[in-house]
């Protein structure tokens, strides 16, 4: 989640952070509205992945990074599996549910609405971008052949870079730190 943002309301953020957070939420809202699947291709698989991702959202892997450490949610692995099994449109719903669970359940203190919405928005955009990379490089949803390696690795890299840079940008803008420094020291 977006731990580096101000704990209060969105008005407590610098204008650049408000613009970025609000813009991210706005763009993700449009993407969600225009890409929302009428129904998932496999309802049972969708429900299983959505529940598993939401339950796993509270589990963290601590990643040591030299002098600091970062946390990676276990739910990201389930979200990425959903991307490969269901495609980006159903997966953005899985990821949104997971982000909501991660931001609201088992948290030390209540997150403000803008932070919850930003976390959801960041994952919606991350999933859609990774899905685009996957299919642009020849990956086919639910098809597992030797040709899957290149689109799979590229989609995983896109997922990581887009998600971490989105969060680092919001944290950097909200705290007045250089975005690259935030990204480098945390991700």
């Amino acid at each position: 989640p977006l731990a580096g943002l101000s704990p209060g309301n969105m008005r407590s953020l610098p204008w650049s952070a408000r613009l970025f957070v609000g813009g991210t939420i706005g763009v993700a809202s449009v993407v969600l509205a225009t890409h929302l699947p009428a129904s998932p291709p496999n309802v049972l698989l969708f429900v299983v992945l959505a529940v598993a991702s939401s339950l796993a959202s509270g589990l963290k892997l601590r990643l040591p990074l030299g002098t600091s450490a970062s946390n990676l949610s276990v739910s990201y692995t389930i979200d990425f599996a959903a991307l490969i099994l269901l495609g980006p449109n159903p997966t953005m719903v899985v990821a949104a549910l997971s982000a909501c669970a991660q931001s609201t359940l088992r948290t030390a203190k209540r997150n403000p609405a803008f932070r919850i919405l930003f976390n959801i928005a960041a994952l919606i955009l991350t999933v859609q971008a990774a899905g685009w990379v996957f299919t642009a490089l020849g990956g086919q949803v639910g098809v597992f052949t030797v040709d899957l390696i290149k689109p799979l690795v590229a989609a995983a890299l896109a997922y990581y870079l887009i998600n971490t840079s989105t969060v680092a940008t919001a944290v950097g803008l909200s705290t007045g730190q250089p975005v690259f420094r935030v990204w480098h020291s945390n991700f």
Side-chain angles (χ1 to χ4, degrees):
L2 202 49
L5 285 182
S6 169
N9 60 40
M10 197 152 148
R11 283 175 280 181
S12 65
L13 298 176
W15 70 268
S16 57
R18 278 186 264 169
L19 184 63
F20 182 75
V21 169
T24 301
I25 293 168
V27 169
S29 298
V30 170
V31 169
L32 181 64
T34 58
H35 292 80
L36 191 63
S39 66
N42 181 329
V43 176
L44 180 60
L45 181 59
F46 173 82
V47 170
V48 167
L49 289 168
V51 169
S53 183
S54 295
L55 291 174
S57 69
L59 304 173
K60 306 277 190 247
L61 294 175
R62 187 160 172 81
L63 306 172
L65 301 172
T67 59
S68 66
S70 183
N71 290 321
L72 176 67
S73 174
V74 174
S75 66
Y76 290 172
T77 58
I78 297 169
D79 294 346
F80 196 77
L83 180 66
I84 305 308
L85 294 169
L86 299 173
N89 295 343
T91 300
M92 75 175 167
V93 178
V94 169
L97 294 170
S98 173
C100 185
Q102 184 178 18
S103 300
T104 58
L105 305 175
R106 292 186 287 180
T107 58
K109 57 186 173 181
R110 185 181 169 115
N111 281 312
F114 79 90
R115 189 178 300 171
I116 296 167
L117 292 173
F118 179 83
N119 290 337
I120 293 168
L123 280 180
I124 287 171
L125 296 176
T126 296
V127 164
Q128 285 294 339
W132 181 86
V133 168
F134 181 73
T135 56
L137 293 177
Q140 297 176 355
V141 173
V143 176
F144 302 97
T145 65
V146 132
D147 297 331
L148 182 67
I149 298 300
K150 180 180 173 184
L152 186 63
V153 169
L157 180 61
Y159 191 104
Y160 172 77
L161 290 174
I162 292 164
N163 187 261
T164 58
S165 63
T166 303
V167 172
T169 300
V171 171
L173 292 174
S174 69
T175 60
Q177 299 177 62
V179 171
F180 182 75
R181 185 182 307 156
V182 171
W183 184 85
H184 187 264
S185 63
N186 290 290
F187 303 110

